[in-house]
Amino acid sequence: MQILNIAAYLFVDINNPSETVIEIRALCATLDIKGTVLIAPEGINLFLAGAASQIAAFLSALRLDARFAALAEKRQYSIDQPFKRMKVKLKREIVPLGVNNLPLHQLSVAQNPAPRMSAETLKAWMDAGKAFVLLDTRNRFEFERGTFAGAVDLNIGQFRNFPDAVKAKLSDWQDMPIVTFCTGGIRCEKAAPVMQQLGFRDVHQLDGGILKYFERCGAAHYQGDCFVFDERTALDGALVPTGAGI
């Protein structure tokens, strides 16, 4: 498999997102890579694919900007290029929580993160049968495609429905340990501070999401595969594309 696929995001305050879009668009134009880069005042989110040397050149250049120096990517390989074009877009949010929920983020996610939990720690908790809520923050169809054994979801069709749905669980889960997770970490990183602001007292986020868990721990405790939003469709516990439709 010759095509390197990367997924990465970073919540970081960007005061000049329009200018940043222009700069990153110019960088991408010099490289033979494809995918999507989203820029918003709250940070950057990207999915890219190409030859390893081209991806390395992109990351090296991007990290010269001090705002993005801490960007950490997740890597998988594929036989085919899963993207048709290169797009760099300006967005209001890099993962939409929705205008009605923005008061929940009076502090930025970058300034108000929830504790991160490593893949190894989550596996150890599941190995030991520890009592905690393992909360899937993805959409319902992604949950149905595959998830961790014992995980619960909120039956949502889009992420902006998350705050109202999880608020209904406050009386049941307020004092319980909760580990939130999603595909690559971005939704659970935004969801966990929302839950803290709503009154949940012991909330963690799975660092790097399901994809980082697969990389570190394989498919242990995971059932099914993991939906991804490109032409690979889904990945199994070995990070191999399954290619099966939803």
Side-chain angles (χ1 to χ4, degrees), residues 3-246:
I3 302 296
L4 174 59
N5 299 264
I6 65 166
Y9 73 91
L10 185 66
F11 283 103
V12 59
D13 294 333
I14 298 178
N15 297 321
N16 56 343
S18 297
E19 294 175 19
T20 304
V21 166
I22 294 171
E23 294 166 0
I24 294 179
R25 190 174 286 151
L27 170 61
C28 292
T30 68
L31 300 168
D32 186 20
I33 57 176
K34 295 180 181 179
T36 301
V37 180
L38 305 179
I39 301 293
E42 67 177 2
I44 184 171
N45 186 22
L46 60 87
F47 304 87
L48 299 173
S53 60
Q54 296 287 289
I55 296 295
F58 173 86
L59 291 173
S60 295
L62 185 67
R63 288 172 178 147
L64 290 175
D65 186 325
R67 296 172 298 177
F68 306 128
L71 186 80
E73 79 277 10
K74 290 168 284 293
R75 296 173 169 239
Q76 307 93 42
Y77 286 87
S78 62
I79 296 172
D80 300 314
Q81 168 63 259
F83 301 106
K84 291 183 170 63
R85 59 187 65 87
M86 184 68 241
K87 297 180 288 186
V88 183
K89 297 182 176 181
L90 177 64
K91 294 288 187 178
R92 183 170 185 167
E93 304 170 83
I94 56 173
V95 56
L97 191 63
V99 64
N100 293 332
N101 297 312
L102 290 181
L104 290 166
H105 282 276
Q106 295 173 358
L107 294 176
S108 72
V109 178
Q111 297 167 347
N112 191 38
R116 297 177 184 273
M117 177 175 288
S118 70
E120 293 85 353
T121 299
L122 176 58
K123 181 178 181 298
W125 278 27
M126 292 188 287
D127 288 344
K130 183 178 174 68
F132 68 104
V133 176
L134 184 53
L135 179 59
D136 195 329
T137 65
R138 300 173 301 160
N139 299 335
R140 179 67 186 186
F141 81 89
E142 296 171 84
F143 174 84
E144 292 175 342
R145 181 70 189 242
T147 193
F148 290 105
V152 296
D153 85 313
L154 299 172
N155 195 26
I156 59 175
Q158 53 187 352
F159 186 62
R160 57 175 44 92
N161 299 138
F162 178 85
D164 287 340
V166 79
K167 188 176 182 179
K169 299 291 187 180
L170 182 60
S171 60
D172 295 329
W173 296 349
Q174 186 171 24
D175 296 313
M176 295 183 65
I178 301 169
V179 180
T180 62
F181 71 91
C182 61
T183 305
I186 189 169
R187 280 175 284 184
C188 58
E189 183 157 353
K190 198 165 183 178
V194 167
M195 294 180 69
Q196 291 176 320
Q197 289 176 268
L198 288 171
F200 295 90
R201 297 192 176 104
D202 190 9
V203 184
H204 306 261
Q205 54 173 306
L206 176 60
D207 192 17
I210 297 167
L211 298 182
K212 180 61 70 174
Y213 183 93
F214 282 173
E215 181 182 320
R216 297 285 184 84
C217 303
H221 301 286
Y222 196 89
Q223 300 171 338
D225 51 21
C226 180
F227 182 84
V228 291
F229 291 88
D230 59 53
E231 292 187 2
R232 294 173 297 170
T233 304
L235 304 176
D236 63 19
L239 295 173
V240 174
T242 66
I246 61 173

